[in-house]
Amino acid sequence: MGISHLKSVIEGLLFASGDQGVTVKQLAHILNIDKTTVKHILDKLKFDYENNDRGITIIESHDIFYLATKPEHHHYIKQMIDTPHATKLSQAALETLAIIAYLQPITRTEIEEIRGIKSDRPVQTLLSRSLIEERGRKETVGKPILFGTSKDFLTYFGLTSLEELPPLSENIEETDVREEADLFFANFQKLNNNN
Amino acid sequence: MGISHLKSVIEGLLFASGDQGVTVKQLAHILNIDKTTVKHILDKLKFDYENNDRGITIIESHDIFYLATKPEHHHYIKQMIDTPHATKLSQAALETLAIIAYLQPITRTEIEEIRGIKSDRPVQTLLSRSLIEERGRKETVGKPILFGTSKDFLTYFGLTSLEELPPLSENIEETDVREEADLFFANFQKLNNNN
Amino acid sequence: MNQAYRVKLPTFEGPLDLLLHLIQQYEIDIYDIPVADITEQYMEYIHAMQHLELNIASEYLVMASTLLALKSQMLLPNQEVEETEDEYMDDPREELVQRLLEYKKYKEAAQKLKDHEGQTIYIRPPTFINDNMSKQKVKKGELSIDDMLHALGKMLARKEWNKPLDTKIKRTEISVQEQMRNVLQIVKRTDGGIRFDALFDNPSRPRIVATFIAVLELMKKNQVFCRQKTHFSDLFVYYVGGD
């Protein structure tokens, strides 16, 4: 595989790695080439991205490489995020919100356990959109922050109280499991029938 | 702002919009330029991405543009991202999807006329896998739901736009059956001639 | 949910598919179908299915009667008339041929799509700029709870991150995928369905959620379905069976 092909695959891998990023070791492994070549190609890519007709760049943190937008374009990107089309919550944010709504108060780590994926971004989004808020700290190691839904959450979903939610939510300790399961399903059915 | 600067900002915006994508209208609004210029720059970007040292490309689904990896790199990216054995589509689902892809927007009854068999289940499967989505209602008796393909349809099959769908097989002369089919074919032919 | 009971004829996607199969098998010219022969073959197939006590989709029976009607039409005396171009237009088979050709076109297109399956293109989630992002208040009723539940369901279909060598992410102990397999296994084992709440044997929070989402997802995938005899009575989960 020639250098330009390698470069294209590495750009694709960097792109697809998203927020998780990718290490030199991983790239070397996937492409079956040595780390020095990977580093060399990353340098080439970085150089390409410096050109002022390019809008992306490579950032490196703790040996993990990510693609990112250029800081000088943040003004435009912020504008895009603020336009109506983009205000729709992402799939990740919706998932996270559903989990928080059902299981509040809940820590980020607990959310991540359920989603099976890092969730700091969606939590951040939900916080910034005032859909969730901090609810004190959990009395465990590290005293992690607990999150719950906010008043705006109710407004957003056109609810008058949390009780109107398909509740796996607040009374989980007291509710017996069976009852809860029935409730879940009753709600799910209701939703289904609405379709 | 010169063309190369515009190009860089548009690349950054496409990148930042992620799986939400961005429309020509939005880009024109954010950059305060006319839509024709935006389209022109998108074409330039697409052209750049065709170079074989590039690993990203632009895909378009229903007038929304997204940055994406190239289909030919799927093998490498799969090694990095674990796609938990996404069950392959059944024959019924594939047939239904093909009909929707070529004749969209189309109602379930119209699909069933072509397949000669009830198709509620494959339609349901395709909806739940987000390969198709509702595209309004048909203005006939009962106002049936119209279905069309989604962006996930394109990404699932490694297509960058609906125009990349393979042309339907010949013996088209007889197709007085559906106007749409003819229309589609005319488009494919046009495309083919352009290549 | 009654489609769960409708048994599909093996390997055929409906009467048109079966007819195309017969046409191919006997190397028949699609524009000149020997109606009597093909009707006989078709009926044989239907009878075999009936013999096996398989529930035949009504569309197959409708086609059977269409074929029988065609057959008798073809036997009418005006068949003696020499076949001319004009005659072709009045061919009683014309409509069926058109339907077969139309269906065939999309069946072939489906095959082409199938060849593309797995050539996945990846798109990344949107980027957010954390620094001084303005708090964007949301508008009433922009989204429904339905959307939220839908997102939960979709969560499973999503590609999961293959834990890289140096990741700091702790993997979930109860994955929904795993729970889906568990639920499916339990439901498969019980012929008469299983009480919905019996699936929630382990009352831990993450497991309840995982199980709930698992059932939801299995329903969406048409692998299980749920029945409730009357309102507020116990719910039962049933296995749908092969796709």
Side-chain angles (χ1 to χ4, degrees):
Chain A
M1 187 154 46
I3 289 292
S4 43
H5 187 207
L6 284 172
K7 202 161 86 171
S8 76
V9 179
I10 287 181
E11 187 177 48
L13 286 165
L14 274 170
F15 178 85
S17 75
D19 288 348
Q20 305 265 339
V22 63
T23 62
V24 170
K25 200 175 158 187
Q26 272 180 290
L27 291 172
H29 177 75
I30 293 167
L31 292 161
N32 198 21
I33 55 175
D34 60 272
K35 289 194 211 168
T36 320
T37 314
V38 172
K39 277 180 201 153
H40 173 66
I41 293 167
L42 284 171
D43 283 343
K44 267 176 167 294
L45 268 174
K46 263 187 218 168
F47 180 78
D48 289 351
Y49 292 152
E50 273 167 30
N51 194 309
N52 76 347
D53 74 343
R54 301 304 309 272
I56 49 180
T57 184
I58 292 178
I59 54 171
E60 180 189 349
S61 166
H62 304 285
D63 294 327
I64 304 173
F65 293 82
Y66 313 82
L67 279 191
T69 52
K70 289 185 169 175
E72 58 266 39
H73 296 158
H74 284 188
H75 164 71
Y76 299 104
I77 293 163
K78 198 175 156 306
Q79 238 182 297
M80 179 174 69
I81 294 167
D82 288 347
T83 55
H85 174 77
T87 57
K88 257 176 72 183
L89 286 180
S90 69
Q91 164 73 11
L94 276 170
E95 276 170 31
T96 308
L97 186 57
I99 291 164
I100 294 173
Y102 287 138
L103 299 177
Q104 60 189 304
I106 187 170
T107 68
R108 210 193 60 208
T109 315
E110 287 166 341
I111 296 166
E112 288 173 352
E113 272 169 21
I114 294 168
R115 295 190 62 223
I117 193 164
K118 241 178 122 176
S119 304
D120 46 354
R121 278 265 170 94
V123 166
Q124 206 52 51
T125 308
L126 295 171
L127 278 172
S128 81
R129 310 255 330 237
S130 303
L131 288 166
I132 59 166
E133 55 198 20
E134 294 187 11
R135 284 283 163 79
R137 304 248 170 191
K138 190 163 182 170
E139 291 301 322
T140 53
V141 188
K143 300 219 169 188
I145 298 166
L146 287 161
F147 297 100
T149 55
S150 65
K151 248 189 224 160
D152 286 357
F153 168 80
L154 296 177
T155 321
Y156 198 107
F157 288 98
L159 302 169
T160 56
S161 86
L162 275 177
E163 279 154 30
E164 286 179 16
L165 249 188
L168 160 63
S169 52
E170 62 267 356
N171 315 325
I172 190 153
E173 265 82 29
E174 301 105 77
T175 324
D176 112 356
V177 180
R178 255 195 60 185
E179 208 179 301
E180 196 146 71
D182 285 344
L183 257 169
F184 268 164
F185 196 72
N187 277 304
F188 174 58
Q189 260 200 333
K190 212 170 64 193
L191 279 166
N192 242 6
N193 294 341
N194 290 345
N195 287 344
Chain B
M1 188 153 45
I3 289 290
S4 43
H5 186 208
L6 284 173
K7 203 161 86 171
S8 76
V9 179
I10 287 180
E11 186 177 51
L13 288 167
L14 276 168
F15 179 88
S17 73
D19 55 11
Q20 303 214 338
V22 66
T23 62
V24 169
K25 198 176 157 191
Q26 263 181 294
L27 291 172
H29 176 77
I30 295 166
L31 293 162
N32 199 19
I33 55 177
D34 61 276
K35 289 192 210 169
T36 320
T37 314
V38 172
K39 279 181 199 152
H40 174 67
I41 293 167
L42 283 172
D43 283 343
K44 268 176 166 290
L45 269 173
K46 267 187 213 165
F47 181 79
D48 289 351
Y49 294 152
E50 272 168 30
N51 194 308
N52 74 347
D53 74 342
R54 301 303 310 271
I56 50 179
T57 186
I58 292 176
I59 71 168
E60 180 188 353
S61 175
H62 302 283
D63 296 328
I64 305 174
F65 294 81
Y66 310 83
L67 220 49
T69 59
K70 288 184 167 177
E72 58 263 37
H73 294 159
H74 75 269
H75 171 69
Y76 299 105
I77 294 163
K78 244 173 231 160
Q79 287 179 50
M80 184 178 67
I81 297 171
D82 171 32
T83 322
H85 30 262
T87 29
K88 296 254 168 149
L89 292 172
S90 68
Q91 183 61 27
L94 276 168
E95 279 181 25
T96 307
L97 189 54
I99 292 167
I100 295 172
Y102 287 94
L103 301 179
Q104 60 186 305
I106 186 168
T107 69
R108 210 194 61 209
T109 316
E110 289 166 338
I111 296 165
E112 289 173 347
E113 273 166 23
I114 294 172
R115 294 192 64 225
I117 192 134
K118 249 180 110 173
S119 304
D120 46 352
R121 206 161 148 187
V123 166
Q124 208 48 54
T125 305
L126 295 171
L127 277 172
S128 76
R129 292 189 63 165
S130 301
L131 293 168
I132 59 166
E133 55 198 17
E134 295 186 12
R135 295 237 162 252
R137 305 231 167 209
K138 189 162 183 167
E139 291 301 322
T140 53
V141 187
K143 299 216 170 190
I145 297 167
L146 287 162
F147 297 101
T149 54
S150 66
K151 138 195 132 259
D152 290 355
F153 165 76
L154 295 178
T155 57
Y156 186 72
F157 291 100
L159 304 168
T160 63
S161 82
L162 281 177
E163 287 165 6
E164 277 190 0
L165 277 173
L168 290 170
S169 58
E170 298 297 324
N171 63 40
I172 304 295
E173 283 76 26
E174 293 95 329
T175 330
D176 49 350
V177 189
R178 287 187 61 99
E179 261 173 62
E180 283 99 317
D182 288 338
L183 245 170
F184 258 88
F185 190 67
N187 277 313
F188 289 133
Q189 274 197 322
K190 209 170 64 193
L191 268 167
N192 270 350
N193 296 340
N194 289 344
N195 288 341
Chain C
M1 284 293 167
N2 58 354
Q3 70 262 36
Y5 295 122
R6 225 185 59 210
V7 178
K8 196 171 57 175
L9 287 169
T11 69
F12 294 112
E13 293 298 334
L16 294 172
D17 196 23
L18 171 54
L19 279 175
L20 278 182
H21 167 79
L22 294 173
I23 286 167
Q24 204 190 5
Q25 193 178 6
Y26 297 101
E27 293 176 356
I28 291 168
D29 175 5
I30 199 164
Y31 295 100
D32 188 19
I33 299 170
V35 178
D37 292 348
I38 208 144
T39 304
E40 193 183 321
Q41 296 298 332
Y42 187 91
M43 294 312 289
E44 233 170 65
Y45 193 87
I46 298 293
H47 289 146
M49 288 297 105
Q50 276 171 338
H51 188 67
L52 291 169
E53 293 183 347
L54 288 179
N55 195 351
I56 301 169
S58 59
E59 291 91 340
Y60 285 92
L61 304 177
V62 173
M63 179 57 79
S65 63
T66 306
L67 285 173
L68 290 169
L70 259 186
K71 191 175 141 187
S72 54
Q73 252 179 295
M74 298 293 285
L75 293 173
L76 290 179
N78 70 348
Q79 269 307 107
E80 301 159 6
V81 182
E82 216 172 286
E83 286 200 12
T84 63
E85 287 296 294
D86 280 1
E87 187 62 26
Y88 180 76
M89 297 309 290
D90 291 303
D91 192 326
R93 299 171 295 184
E94 176 67 8
E95 197 198 326
L96 180 63
V97 171
Q98 286 310 330
R99 284 187 69 193
L100 283 168
L101 286 174
E102 179 78 353
Y103 171 69
K104 187 162 171 268
K105 205 163 67 183
Y106 294 104
K107 188 175 147 74
E108 283 164 8
Q111 189 52 48
K112 283 185 199 156
L113 276 184
K114 195 183 170 73
D115 297 341
H116 278 268
E117 211 174 357
Q119 296 186 7
T120 318
I121 287 177
Y122 297 85
I123 305 184
R124 38 181 297 149
T127 299
F128 289 101
I129 300 160
N130 284 324
D131 52 273
N132 64 38
M133 202 169 88
S134 57
K135 283 226 171 189
Q136 258 194 291
K137 290 281 180 137
V138 287
K139 285 188 222 92
K140 191 184 169 94
E142 258 181 57
L143 269 176
S144 69
I145 298 163
D146 205 357
D147 291 321
M148 204 166 67
L149 281 183
H150 186 67
L152 268 182
K154 263 181 88 174
M155 176 162 86
L156 300 151
R158 186 191 56 215
K159 297 145 192 82
E160 267 191 84
W161 187 257
N162 184 14
K163 194 176 172 185
L165 309 160
D166 46 5
T167 181
K168 285 165 241 118
I169 303 163
K170 214 174 99 197
R171 288 293 255 191
T172 167
E173 278 160 43
I174 310 141
S175 89
V176 180
Q177 298 278 353
E178 190 187 311
Q179 202 59 11
M180 276 170 72
R181 279 194 292 275
N182 289 340
V183 170
L184 203 58
Q185 242 173 22
I186 295 169
V187 177
K188 253 188 204 172
R189 277 204 303 268
T190 49
D191 294 333
I194 184 164
R195 258 172 59 161
F196 182 71
D197 48 15
L199 292 171
F200 296 83
D201 55 340
N202 187 335
S204 83
R205 267 191 196 182
R207 192 172 288 277
I208 291 170
V209 180
T211 308
F212 171 61
I213 299 171
V215 174
L216 203 87
E217 189 58 21
L218 285 169
M219 288 184 67
K220 281 172 80 182
K221 288 189 158 172
N222 271 320
Q223 290 180 292
V224 303
F225 67 97
C226 292
R227 272 276 162 89
Q228 192 179 29
K229 287 217 176 71
T230 59
H231 262 297
F232 309 113
S233 71
D234 284 332
L235 274 159
F236 281 83
V237 184
Y238 301 84
Y239 180 55
V240 168
D243 199 14

